[in-house]
Amino acid sequence: MLKNCVIKIGSNVLIHENGQPNLQRMESLSRQVASLFRNGSKIILISSGAVAFGKGEQALSEKLDPVLKKQIWAATGQVELIKTYKDFFGKLGIPVAQILVTKEDFRDRKHFLNMKNCIQGLLRQGILPIINENDTVAISELMFTDNDELASLTAAMINADSLILLTNVDGVYDGPPSHPDAKLIPVIHSANFENEIQISPVKSSFGRGGMLTKLNMAKKSADLGIRVLIANGTKENILTELASGTAKHTVFEPLAKKQSPKKWLAHGEQYFKGEITVNAGAREALFSEKITSILPIGITGTTGSFSKGDIISVLDQEGQKLGLGRAEYSDLHLKERIGVKNQKPFIHYDYLYLF
């Protein structure tokens, strides 16, 4: 059974090849989600499709700025997307809520926890959360790679046991899926991730990512203790069959579950506020069997301007990235304490995620 699950539906699942929304498939997937939801599964839906819906709603001049065009399509299309879901789920007796987010919402721990509390509150009230990126305000450097990344972040945030990524192929293959000799890989273990899995670089005309993005996000989620299933959302009753274990798919077997703060930190590589460099002794201690926090005496340098609670990147003397942590005090206070003994940890072990 899918107990606590994030389901991501890609644009290539929801949209016909001619660019028009596939309402029949949306209705079918909504019916399957509703069935799982009524049977006790806690489900969060991550749905692409706003820009594609917008393209169908608004014909815009080719001369218009591409960023502005996307914002207009996202703004108009999101209304139609959520209205369609509201109608489908409403007929099945399930209320829905719309949550639009940016990467900035995951950067700040308070925003992160507020969003988590909101989602959990909705689920307790029997309301299905439907999440999408707020494309109208996101700037390029803080946009999600695609909704696979958003789904992975959301799964980590709510401590999901499963993450389902629905695309237009049955899963991960040992070669290009179009090749007649390509075989579906049913199970991927984290240790075997790099073992010559050939991924097609082809992307959807509507989505930003491809299978490589899915693989990277799947591995990260599995490393955090979340089971990841990649399956073909264009097949009839795919969610029902995944729940019963009868569908063709690829599953990423999870490692042991990580603490909630470490799950938050695991996705912070692109939005840390500062960096610290640690000496060889500190590096050795961090990767020993003993639980270790990062103390000022083991820090040799720092860059960036940051405050207490910000995400910090940890490097060794050679510049190799070791992990991410939450600052216990600001860069100004840290500079006063670098190399000094008997100081409280700059990064406590509970808020330290090592690569």
Side-chain angles (χ1 to χ4, degrees):
M1 179 180 174
L2 301 169
K3 294 181 181 179
N4 190 8
C5 180
V6 172
I7 299 174
K8 181 261 179 177
I9 306 176
S11 295
N12 50 14
V13 174
L14 295 180
I15 309 300
H16 286 295
E17 288 186 6
N18 64 4
Q20 295 301 308
N22 189 329
L23 299 181
Q24 184 179 355
R25 184 166 295 141
M26 280 187 73
E27 184 174 25
S28 173
L29 289 169
S30 298
R31 174 174 41 79
Q32 294 170 67
V33 169
S35 177
L36 295 171
F37 202 70
R38 281 196 299 263
N39 288 327
S41 297
K42 294 180 180 178
I43 293 176
I44 293 91
L45 193 60
I46 311 291
S47 181
S48 303
V51 172
F53 264 81
K55 285 181 178 180
E57 288 286 304
Q58 297 290 332
L60 300 175
S61 169
E62 291 291 331
K63 297 179 180 179
L64 200 62
D65 177 72
V67 174
L68 179 58
K69 276 203 296 188
K70 184 180 178 184
Q71 288 176 321
I72 292 172
W73 281 330
T76 57
Q78 185 64 33
V79 174
E80 193 62 29
L81 177 69
I82 201 69
K83 179 180 178 294
T84 304
Y85 274 125
K86 187 175 186 293
D87 290 343
F88 287 150
F89 282 108
K91 291 175 183 176
L92 300 166
I94 295 177
V96 301
Q98 173 181 259
I99 301 175
L100 297 177
V101 301
T102 67
K103 216 168 190 179
E104 192 75 21
D105 294 314
F106 288 89
R107 170 189 281 184
D108 182 86
R109 182 70 175 163
K110 288 183 180 179
H111 281 205
F112 179 88
L113 292 176
N114 284 339
M115 187 162 46
K116 177 180 179 179
N117 290 337
C118 176
I119 291 171
Q120 291 177 332
L122 290 168
L123 290 171
R124 283 193 296 269
Q125 297 302 314
I127 301 170
L128 176 70
I130 301 177
I131 304 177
N132 199 359
E133 181 174 14
N134 191 347
D135 290 315
T136 60
V137 298
I139 54 175
S140 58
E141 60 266 30
L142 277 176
M143 291 177 74
F144 298 103
T145 306
D146 69 356
N147 271 352
D148 295 315
E149 183 181 10
L150 172 55
S152 182
L153 279 160
T154 303
M157 176 176 62
I158 65 154
N159 296 319
D161 51 59
S162 300
L163 167 61
I164 297 175
L165 302 176
L166 294 183
T167 184
N168 58 355
V169 291
D170 288 338
V172 182
Y173 287 79
D174 60 2
S178 58
H179 196 282
D181 295 330
K183 294 183 178 65
L184 182 72
I185 304 172
V187 181
I188 296 177
H189 298 282
S190 187
N192 298 330
F193 177 72
E194 281 85 12
N195 285 1
E196 299 181 5
I197 298 174
Q198 298 178 27
I199 304 302
S200 170
V202 176
K203 298 182 181 181
S204 160
S205 59
F206 293 99
R208 286 200 297 273
M211 187 56 76
L212 185 58
T213 305
K214 286 177 177 58
L215 274 177
N216 289 329
M217 290 302 116
K219 182 180 186 300
K220 180 166 286 187
S221 294
D223 287 347
L224 295 173
I226 301 166
R227 185 174 63 123
V228 183
L229 298 86
I230 299 178
N232 193 337
T234 68
K235 289 195 170 180
E236 191 65 26
N237 295 320
I238 184 63
L239 292 175
T240 304
E241 292 182 4
L242 283 173
S244 65
T246 58
K248 289 176 65 177
H249 67 284
T250 295
V251 61
F252 282 71
E253 287 294 342
L255 300 179
K257 279 189 173 290
K258 301 290 192 299
Q259 294 172 303
S260 182
K262 293 183 186 288
K263 289 182 177 180
W264 168 61
L265 288 164
H267 289 274
E269 290 177 72
Q270 297 178 35
Y271 44 86
F272 57 84
K273 289 288 189 73
E275 295 180 331
I276 61 167
T277 303
V278 298
N279 60 31
R283 186 190 195 287
E284 184 178 350
L286 288 175
F287 291 95
S288 68
E289 294 182 1
K290 183 180 177 181
I291 294 175
T292 306
S293 299
I294 297 180
L295 304 172
I297 193 170
I299 299 173
T300 59
T302 178
T303 59
S305 176
F306 50 84
S307 304
K308 179 179 179 179
D310 286 339
I311 297 178
I312 305 300
S313 179
V314 182
L315 290 74
D316 64 14
Q317 301 275 103
E318 283 71 46
Q320 180 181 351
K321 293 182 178 180
L322 305 179
L324 297 157
R326 188 184 75 169
E328 291 298 321
Y329 36 90
S330 71
D331 60 299
L332 296 178
H333 287 143
L334 175 60
K335 288 172 183 175
E336 295 172 353
R337 303 175 189 184
I338 286 179
V340 179
K341 294 181 179 180
N342 302 320
Q343 300 294 310
K344 77 171 188 176
F346 172 64
I347 296 176
H348 190 276
Y349 174 79
D350 287 344
Y351 291 91
L352 175 64
Y353 176 79
L354 298 174
F355 299 147

